[in-house]
Amino acid sequence: HVQLVESGGASVQAGKSLRLSCAASRHTHSRYCLAWFRQAPGKEREGVARIMRNGEISYADSVKGRFTTAKDDAKKVLFLEMHSLKPEDTAMYYCAAVESSLRSFCPPRFTIWGQGTQVTV
C-alpha cells in the first residue's frame, strides 16, 4: 500500500496563507483517489477536498474559493493551498487515499491515512 506523509502545518494569523504537502511513497494517479480531511478538537472529521482519478476536484463549501488542491504526479506529492485562513480552519489536517476502479468516482471510505499536520489560525 501507498504511505502518506503530510507537512507544512503551522500557526498563522487570520487572513494569511499556508501550503500543506502530502508525499506519497509510490505513484498514486493510476489507482487512487486522493483527499484532504481535517479534524478540530471535539468535532467530527470533515472532508476538505478530493481529487478523483480523472483529475476532477471537489471542495467542501466551507473552503470553496479559499483552498485549492493539486497533485504533482511526477513528484508523488499532493498539495493544499489555503488562503484567507480563518480561526475556524484550525484543525489537524490529513491526506488520505483509497483505491478506485472508476476514474470519476471515489469510494466513500478512505483507507490510507497520513499522520496529520496541525494548522492553527
Side-chain angles (χ1 to χ4, degrees), residues 1-5 22-32 34 71-78 97 99 112:
H1 284 295
V2 65
Q3 292 180 317
L4 305 171
V5 178
C22 173
S25 60
R26 53 189 285 188
H27 289 289
T28 59
H29 61 278
S30 62
R31 293 172 56 189
Y32 294 90
L34 302 172
K71 57 179 182 172
D72 185 329
D73 288 328
K75 295 182 179 179
K76 299 179 290 185
V77 180
L78 177 69
E99 289 192 66
I112 303 168

Side-chain angles (χ1 to χ4, degrees), residues 24-79:
S25 60
R26 53 189 285 188
H27 289 289
T28 59
H29 61 278
S30 62
R31 293 172 56 189
Y32 294 90
C33 286
L34 302 172
W36 289 96
F37 290 82
R38 66 185 181 185
Q39 187 165 22
K43 294 189 176 181
E44 291 188 358
R45 186 168 59 200
E46 173 190 22
V48 174
R50 65 179 56 192
I51 303 179
M52 284 167 267
R53 286 177 51 200
N54 65 358
E56 184 177 342
I57 300 174
S58 61
Y59 297 95
D61 288 343
S62 58
V63 306
K64 274 181 185 175
R66 299 188 301 121
F67 289 14
T68 302
T69 191
K71 57 179 182 172
D72 185 329
D73 288 328
K75 295 182 179 179
K76 299 179 290 185
V77 180
L78 177 69
F79 298 103

